[in-house]
């Protein structure tokens, strides 16, 4: 039975509407609602509402920021690192880790984002694209690569059911493990009150990809990794179909570069403009960190070097390599906590006064989230490795425009065309250089230009064709 004695605190915190609402409920629905309220960390909530909702002052970045050093595309350490990375993969020391707990509200898709049809010709789901990437890598390296997928309580069942219905896309189901992350209540932007999702139900949101570290430990996934002998995670987000499930060069650099402690490494792409909306890798007090685009002072964001290149150019694409022992170390510390960030979003809610569900047209709510990159400064030495944008970044965030399914499909075709051209095939291009065809390469066929050159592929593509290789 939940301890309800402290619930009066809600009134002093300006959340009395929840107790008033409880009074309108009866029976088991009321009991469940009161238990939900009792499970809240009331002291923490009070502080969070004051700090992030009712009177918000943006966090100041550290005063002495400099650009983080980057291991470039032509760096000589890359080739030797490939061997180290391949050895790690072959020895079963690498697992994939996908964060798929987000709500995908910008995309507006009614289901887990990983189920979204994304393949530019086949319409394969994001999950299938990754599954085939993992399957292809398993065959190439002759090893089982476990896959950990973080869901949220809001999409867990739908995600697990999708994999079951698709027979795990050919992967061994015992090597695919799902676990839900934690949630936070969502707040009304104007009043700071916790919103209701329905009668007797709080509106909640997943606690951000930064919730991953805690969720890995609490769910037992971390223990499972240790038992399987997994030492490093290849981390990527569910919405980037160009993320390589396992990248031997990156993993090798992460595990063996003298600049890396093998704890938390990252990939970057050069920003296309000073105001591109991506986090930037910086250094402060000898530690690497990501500064969100909105927190990087404009004067720094615009600075250029002697070649006219942006100084703070290293944009994050949310691809990381993470040491399993690092996760164990930081989450084993009772004081481990990541800061919250606030996001202003549209949050559908139940209005207890009118008894109606409201679907707001404008952002009405505040969601509090943690970001995984806030763990980076906890690493002793953290490297940032350059990636080619077209090769590794084709995110599906929005329904239209930038980082949308349209732009992702264009990038999928562009990458496929590059691989074909490198392999000697001819690809029709328009006067402006864009590809006059739609081309999708299955990750089972090839995951880079070299692999495509060795695989069966057409010698030429006809203008306007839709091709699957
Ligand atoms: P985004 O920050 O793009 O958020 O997530 P989102 O929830 O998917 O989409 P919007 O903002 O509502 O439109 C980046 C990655 O982090 C995961 C997402 O699933 C995606 O892979 N994520 C995000 C989580 O796993 N949990 C979260 O709480 C938030």
């Amino acid at each position: 039975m939940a301890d309800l004695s402290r619930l009066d605190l809600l009134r002093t915190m300006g959340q009395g509407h929840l107790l008033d609402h409880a009074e309108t409920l009866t029976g088991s629905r009321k009991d469940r609602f009161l238990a939900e309220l009792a499970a809240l960390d009331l002291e923490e909530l009070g502080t969070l509402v004051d700090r992030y909702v009712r009177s918000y002052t943006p966090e100041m970045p550290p005063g002495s920021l400099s650009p983080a050093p980057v291991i470039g595309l032509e760096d000589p350490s890359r080739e030797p690192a490939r061997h180290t990375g391949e050895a790690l993969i072959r020895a079963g020391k690498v697992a994939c880790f996908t964060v798929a707990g987000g709500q995908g509200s910008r995309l507006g898709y009614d289901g887990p984002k990983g189920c979204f049809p994304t393949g530019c010709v086949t319409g394969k789901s994001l999950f299938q694209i990754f599954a085939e990437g993992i399957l292809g890598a398993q065959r190439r390296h002759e090893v089982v690569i476990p896959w950990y997928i973080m869901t949220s309580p809001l999409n867990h069942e739908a995600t697990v059911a999708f994999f079951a219905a698709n027979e795990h896309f050919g992967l061994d189901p015992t090597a695919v493990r799902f676990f839900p992350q934690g949630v936070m209540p969502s707040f009304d932007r104007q009043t700071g009150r916790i919103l209701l999702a329905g009668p007797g139900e709080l509106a909640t949101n997943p606690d951000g990809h930064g919730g991953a570290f805690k969720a890995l430990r609490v769910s037992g996934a971390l223990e499972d990794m240790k038992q399987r002998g997994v030492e490093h995670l290849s981390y990527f987000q569910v919405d980037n179909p160009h993320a390589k499930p396992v990248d031997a060069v990156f993993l090798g650099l992460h595990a063996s570069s003298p600049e890396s402690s093998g704890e938390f490494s990252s990939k970057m792409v050069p920003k296309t403009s000073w105001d591109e909306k991506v986090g930037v890798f910086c250094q402060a007090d000898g530690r690497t960190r990501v500064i969100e685009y909105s927190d990087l002072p404009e004067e720094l964001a615009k600075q250029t070097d002697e070649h006219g290149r942006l100084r703070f150019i290293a944009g994050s694409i949310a691809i990381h390599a993470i040491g399993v022992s690092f996760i164990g170390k930081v989450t084993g510390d009772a004081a481990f906590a990541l800061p919250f960030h606030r996001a202003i979003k549209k949050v559908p809610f139940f209005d207890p006064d009118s008894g109606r569900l409201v679907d707001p047209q404008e952002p009405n709510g505040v969601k509090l989230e943690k970001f995984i990159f806030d763990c980076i400064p906890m690493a002793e030495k953290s490297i940032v490795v350059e990636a080619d944008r077209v090769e590794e970044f084709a995110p599906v965030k929005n329904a239209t425009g930038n980082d949308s399914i349209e732009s992702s499909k264009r990038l999928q075709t562009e990458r496929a065309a590059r691989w074909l051209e490198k392999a000697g095939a001819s690809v029709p291009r328009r006067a402006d250089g864009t590809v006059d065809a739609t081309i999708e390469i299955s990750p089972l066929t090839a995951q880079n230009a070299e692999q495509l050159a060795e695989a069966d592929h057409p010698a030429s593509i006809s203008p306007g064709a839709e091709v699957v290789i």
Side-chain angles (χ1 to χ4, degrees):
M1 183 68 194
D3 173 14
L4 306 181
S5 60
R6 293 164 59 255
L7 286 186
D8 280 346
L9 254 183
L10 284 167
R11 289 211 187 277
T12 53
M13 290 164 54
Q15 305 289 355
H17 66 292
L18 297 174
L19 297 177
D20 298 339
H21 178 60
E23 287 312 309
T24 68
L25 304 170
T26 52
S28 61
R29 180 178 269 185
K30 180 174 185 176
D31 294 342
R32 271 203 312 274
F33 186 60
L34 288 173
E36 199 181 358
L37 296 181
L40 296 172
D41 181 341
L42 297 183
E43 279 77 11
E44 184 193 37
L45 264 187
T47 319
L48 291 176
V49 172
D50 289 343
R51 171 140 180 235
Y52 292 102
V53 191
R54 295 204 171 115
S55 63
Y56 178 64
T57 355
E59 201 80 29
M60 288 303 287
S64 59
L65 284 181
S66 57
V70 171
I71 298 178
L73 286 177
E74 304 300 331
D75 195 282
S77 64
R78 292 179 88 105
E79 219 23 62
R82 179 188 305 280
H83 303 295
T84 316
E86 280 175 353
L88 281 173
I89 299 168
R90 286 220 175 87
K93 294 185 176 172
V94 175
C96 291
F97 176 31
T98 306
V99 285
Q103 291 179 295
S105 51
R106 283 169 290 170
L107 187 60
Y109 172 64
D110 189 21
K113 211 195 239 185
C115 308
F116 188 69
T118 299
C120 64
V121 178
T122 60
K124 271 178 203 168
S125 66
L126 284 154
F127 281 136
Q128 182 170 357
I129 293 172
F130 298 132
E132 290 183 0
I134 293 170
L135 208 50
Q138 291 191 154
R139 289 180 186 157
R140 222 158 263 127
H141 296 287
E142 299 176 328
V143 69
V144 172
I145 302 174
W147 188 13
Y148 296 87
I149 299 173
M150 185 170 82
T151 60
S152 83
L154 294 84
N155 71 10
H156 184 81
E157 275 174 32
T159 304
V160 173
F162 185 71
F163 273 78
N166 289 285
E167 294 174 346
H168 291 70
F169 306 102
L171 291 168
D172 173 359
T174 63
V176 184
R177 179 162 175 156
F178 307 87
F179 62 95
Q181 64 179 113
V183 293
M184 286 294 290
S186 312
F187 304 92
D188 178 81
R189 183 182 177 179
Q190 303 300 340
T191 61
R193 286 174 165 201
I194 295 174
L195 292 166
L196 293 167
E201 193 190 342
L202 296 180
T204 56
N205 56 268
D207 61 359
H209 41 66
F213 268 38
K214 191 170 158 209
L216 280 167
R217 177 176 274 270
V218 173
S219 66
L222 191 63
E223 197 45 47
D224 184 69
M225 289 167 187
K226 288 184 194 157
Q227 272 168 20
R228 288 177 194 257
V230 172
E231 292 179 6
H232 298 285
L233 299 183
S234 169
Y235 168 101
F236 50 93
Q237 299 189 335
V238 77
D239 49 21
N240 178 12
H242 279 193
K244 298 181 186 182
V246 286
D247 176 353
V249 171
F250 180 48
L251 288 159
L253 287 167
H254 160 78
S256 66
S257 163
E259 308 310 319
S260 167
S261 53
E263 295 180 307
F264 203 122
S265 306
S266 310
K267 286 196 184 176
M268 63 73 85
V269 295
K271 281 172 65 175
T272 49
S273 62
W274 72 267
D275 56 354
E276 189 184 352
K277 290 187 168 59
V278 287
V280 177
F281 291 101
C282 299
Q283 276 208 320
D285 309 321
R287 300 263 166 160
T288 305
R289 60 178 65 225
V290 173
I291 303 289
E292 277 193 276
Y293 65 88
S294 48
D295 292 343
L296 185 66
E298 189 171 321
E299 160 214 347
L300 292 186
K302 285 182 168 167
Q303 271 180 9
T304 50
D305 64 15
E306 64 277 20
H307 309 293
R309 232 169 88 107
L310 290 174
R311 268 189 85 224
F312 290 88
I313 196 162
S316 174
I317 50 171
I319 295 178
H320 304 286
I322 309 173
V324 170
S325 58
F326 175 64
I327 302 171
K329 184 177 89 179
V330 299
T331 58
D333 180 348
F336 170 68
L338 292 175
F340 280 101
H341 299 260
R342 75 176 207 155
I344 308 282
K345 300 261 171 120
K346 284 189 222 165
V347 181
F349 67 96
F350 171 73
D351 176 6
D353 296 332
S354 65
R356 309 241 306 257
L357 285 170
V358 184
D359 204 0
Q361 296 311 301
E362 295 301 323
N364 62 312
V366 173
K367 294 183 183 177
L368 296 183
E369 296 186 345
K370 297 172 184 176
F371 294 161
I372 198 152
F373 56 68
D374 282 325
C375 293
I376 298 179
M378 298 174 192
E380 289 296 322
K381 290 192 285 178
S382 179
I383 51 167
V384 181
V385 179
E386 182 172 0
D388 180 282
R389 189 182 279 259
V390 173
E391 287 288 323
E392 305 202 32
F393 195 47
V396 182
K397 298 275 183 198
N398 303 308
T400 55
N402 274 349
D403 296 345
S404 66
I405 182 62
E406 292 156 14
S407 62
S408 176
K409 286 184 172 180
R410 265 198 309 278
L411 286 162
Q412 291 171 40
T413 287
E414 175 56 31
R415 185 175 80 166
R418 285 187 182 185
W419 292 2
L420 281 164
E421 285 165 341
K422 273 200 186 153
S426 87
V427 175
R429 286 189 181 267
R430 303 183 188 91
D432 64 359
T434 55
V435 179
D436 183 13
T438 311
I439 316 167
E440 182 177 335
I441 298 176
S442 163
L444 288 169
T445 306
Q447 297 185 25
N448 56 42
E450 294 72 38
Q451 289 172 8
L452 184 74
E454 286 165 17
D456 271 350
H457 61 80
S460 69
I461 305 286
S462 311
E466 289 201 341
V467 183
V468 181
I469 301 170

